[in-house]
């Protein structure tokens, strides 16, 4: 077997084993309890708000960039001047 095939088989088997272990070993009540604790935690909610605001700022900044230039004649003129 080649190295890539071995890697691919190992990755698939590892992912399947991790999924099985996670779904069989962790109780649903425990997951619900953790989700409730996350919703109640003020620090995590504040962190989530900061993350959402930061991503919104980045989206706005990216939207304000000019579109790509198809005609580069202006750039060539500037190179001629310099």
């Amino acid at each position: 077997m080649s190295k890539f095939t071995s890697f691919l088989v190992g990755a698939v088997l590892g992912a399947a084993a991790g999924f099985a272990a996670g779904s069989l070993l962790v109780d649903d009540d425990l997951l619900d309890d953790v989700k409730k604790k996350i919703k109640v935690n003020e620090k995590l909610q504040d962190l989530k708000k900061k993350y959402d605001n930061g991503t919104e700022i980045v989206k706005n900044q990216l939207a304000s960039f000019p579109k790509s230039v198809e005609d580069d004649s202006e750039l060539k003129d500037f190179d001629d001047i310099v």
Side-chain angles (χ1 to χ4, degrees):
M1 237 189 305
S2 71
K3 290 182 181 182
F4 178 72
T5 306
S6 298
F7 170 76
L8 192 59
V9 169
V12 169
L13 291 177
F19 179 75
S23 63
L24 296 175
L25 296 177
V26 178
D27 190 24
D28 289 337
D29 294 333
L30 181 63
L31 289 175
D32 292 338
D33 186 39
V34 170
K35 288 178 184 178
K36 287 178 186 175
K37 287 181 181 179
I38 289 173
K39 286 182 181 179
V40 173
N41 192 335
E42 292 179 20
K43 290 182 181 180
L44 288 177
Q45 294 303 319
D46 185 44
L47 184 63
K48 182 182 180 303
K49 286 180 187 177
K50 288 179 181 179
Y51 174 79
D52 290 340
N53 289 340
T55 55
E56 191 66 31
I57 290 171
V58 170
K59 284 181 192 177
N60 291 337
Q61 287 175 347
L62 290 175
S64 68
F65 285 135
K67 303 297 180 207
S68 61
V69 177
E70 297 297 327
D71 180 23
D72 63 347
S73 61
E74 293 179 14
L75 298 176
K76 290 179 183 174
D77 293 341
F78 180 77
D79 288 338
D80 292 337
I81 295 171
V82 176

